[in-house]
Amino acid sequence: MEEENIGQPLLKKHYYENCPGCKVDKAKELKTDVSLRNLLNIWMVVLCSSLPISSLWPYLYFMVSDFNIAEREEDISGYAGYVGSAFMLGRAITSLLWGIIADRYGRKPVVIVGIIFVIIFNTLFGLSTSFWMAVIMRFLLGSLNGLLGPMKAYSSEIFREEHQALGLSTFSAAWGIGLIIGPALGGYLAQPVEKYPHLFPKDSFWDKFPYFLPSFVISVFAFVVAIASIWLPETLHNHPQSSESTEDTEALEKGSSGADKYNIIQKDENLFLNWPLMSSIIVYCIYSLHDAAYQEVFSLWAVSPRRLGGLSFTTDNVGNVLAITGISLIIYQLSLYPSLEKAFGPVRFARVTGVLSIPLLQSYPFIAMLSGFTLNLVINIASVVKNILTVTIITGLFLLQNRAVEQHQRGAANGISMTTMSIFKAIGPAGGGAILTWSQKRLDASFLPGTHMVFFLLNVAGGIGVLLMFTPFLSLKKKTPSVQLH
């Protein structure tokens, strides 16, 4: 194979002519600025995964109610939790497999195939006519789209080392925005016959399938992204890895210092023995459980009646709150987070935000006592701050995971992360829905009555996550063989 050698101050980098990964590395070497095209690619693909996950939250309560499977109103949240968990259960079963496939055949093929499955099963979910059909479609949607693990690896590989924080914060921002825009779409577009009778007449197709429109809009978006992904640059190398990868060379040239600089592990080391990777994944799982439960609880709590401790919001009200939150997240992730991460380091920054989220979350039951404009103002501020704190933690953990492995193991490493995270996220919605149902049945309890209990238990999970972000549990560095630099 023809080979081009370019001299470097410390080591030589080898760029293979027919290797897509080498083309990307060469482009990174020659161009120091950040490509907006690469940022847009990450945004589009991640949105294809996160929008279907979250779009059902505002209307899931009403959808389950329409299935007539719950005997009492208090049981609706429990059944809704099972629908939310089905996706994560499916993703937990297959994420490692998709990661291995991405390491073998490339990130791009997995992305395109995953988006195609999103189009199919997200559309079918919108056509669900029974509780079990909805559960099965969500399970298949989760198990057959392997987008997130490979894209997390891709987000760190497509940029130079000094811009990896921006790449992963873009991934995290897109994920967070999808979890916000998705519910906004669901809130605005579900039950269109009731909301927009002049556009959607009664007894029409839209009346028979009142929750299809948001799924259809997301599937159309995914179809456009699937076409655009044909031109997605591939970052995987298709030649035997040398003893020093391109990323190793950059790390050696730059040196490593401080608590938040992470060395790369030895080639072909067992990922399960890589404690910097595994410890960050464990903390990530705790926060994934917390975040999934929070997202489920927030939407169900917001639309629950006042007599049960909720806000009596409509789907439009929930959509408004989450849309404002989404806009705020975009501004924060693309303007403030990279500089703050550079100043404080991802771990220290995540610890602080984890602590701050605890009193904020426990204030939610007191917010429910407000009304009118004051309620809308305060719940919007609380939602914005809570999601900013969460996305800060998640992005920091993304950085730890991707800096702990070499490229040829990064897909598998992210597959492990997605598998374990999905298990916890499968527990989150079901557990959150069940605990919310239980808390709404104990409104007169003497200890943490009503919804005080559900937010307290969410804080227990968040508090455990904060504790695990400290040493000796969270390992920040991995020693590599010493290299003499002259």
Side-chain angles (χ1 to χ4, degrees), residues 155-176:
S155 299
S156 66
E157 294 165 355
I158 197 67
F159 296 113
R160 292 168 59 92
E161 196 218 9
E162 62 266 30
H163 297 309
Q164 283 182 357
L166 177 60
L168 285 167
S169 81
T170 300
F171 175 97
S172 184
W175 172 253

Side-chain angles (χ1 to χ4, degrees), residues 339-385:
S339 57
L340 291 173
E341 183 274 332
K342 186 176 181 180
F344 296 102
V347 176
R348 188 180 307 153
F349 197 19
R351 289 169 183 163
V352 173
T353 53
V355 171
L356 291 176
S357 69
I358 293 175
L360 173 64
L361 193 56
Q362 204 59 50
S363 70
Y364 276 39
F366 298 101
I367 294 176
M369 299 178 182
L370 304 174
S371 61
F373 173 79
T374 305
L375 170 62
N376 281 282
L377 176 64
V378 174
I379 197 61
N380 273 285
I381 294 173
S383 178
V384 168
V385 175

